[in-house]
Amino acid sequence: MWENLSQMSLRIASLLLALLAQSDPKLPVPDAAAQKNAEKLLQEIFKDDYAKRSPVDKAALAAKMTAQAREVKDDPVSRFVLYREAQSLYTAAGDGEGALAAIDELSKLYAVDGVAMKSALFASLTKAAKTPEDWTKL
């Protein structure tokens, strides 16, 4: 009897967790046209920063975008593009930790496949790794 009660409790707990997960819907990924408009605006705002090409400069721009994304609460398209661009810049700079943090933020807020994004990130970083230090970071 206790065994059946225990199994029933586990099933109820599983159902409750599933219901809670459904009650916290994520934002949809903005459509391509909306993202493109937000990208244009970002390129205008951060024009001078985009002109800088060193990995340190790219990581600095990514940090600015991440900070800005955290502040934007009323524009889901801009927020999405800020995190997406930050992730891309961190990746280009070889900053895996920053890129993972941006992916985590996107995954919390939007209906994206965070696991696939992280897999692509690791594939990209392993291709770019050349020194023992690069591999140690990975």
Side-chain angles (χ1 to χ4, degrees), residues 30-37 39:
D31 65 68
Q35 287 186 49
K36 190 161 184 81
N37 288 336
E39 284 173 30

Side-chain angles (χ1 to χ4, degrees), residues 12-116:
I12 291 171
S14 295
L15 287 172
L16 287 173
L17 287 173
L19 287 172
L20 285 173
Q22 290 176 357
S23 69
D24 186 25
K26 295 181 181 182
L27 295 168
V29 173
D31 65 68
Q35 287 186 49
K36 190 161 184 81
N37 288 336
E39 284 173 30
K40 286 180 186 177
L41 182 61
L42 285 181
Q43 289 171 356
E44 289 175 25
I45 293 170
F46 295 107
K47 182 179 181 179
D48 294 337
D49 294 307
Y50 270 115
K52 299 174 185 175
R53 297 291 189 195
S54 77
V56 172
D57 292 327
K58 288 180 181 183
L61 177 55
K64 282 183 187 180
M65 289 184 171
T66 300
Q68 185 70 32
R70 288 185 183 123
E71 292 178 19
V72 174
K73 305 283 188 213
D74 59 346
D75 185 356
V77 176
S78 293
R79 192 176 202 187
F80 179 88
V81 173
L82 281 161
Y83 278 127
R84 192 201 67 210
E85 282 295 299
Q87 185 264 319
S88 178
L89 287 163
Y90 277 129
T91 302
D95 184 343
E97 286 182 41
L100 282 172
I103 291 170
D104 285 341
E105 290 298 320
L106 274 172
S107 297
K108 280 189 233 175
L109 299 169
Y110 297 89
V112 297
D113 186 349
V115 173

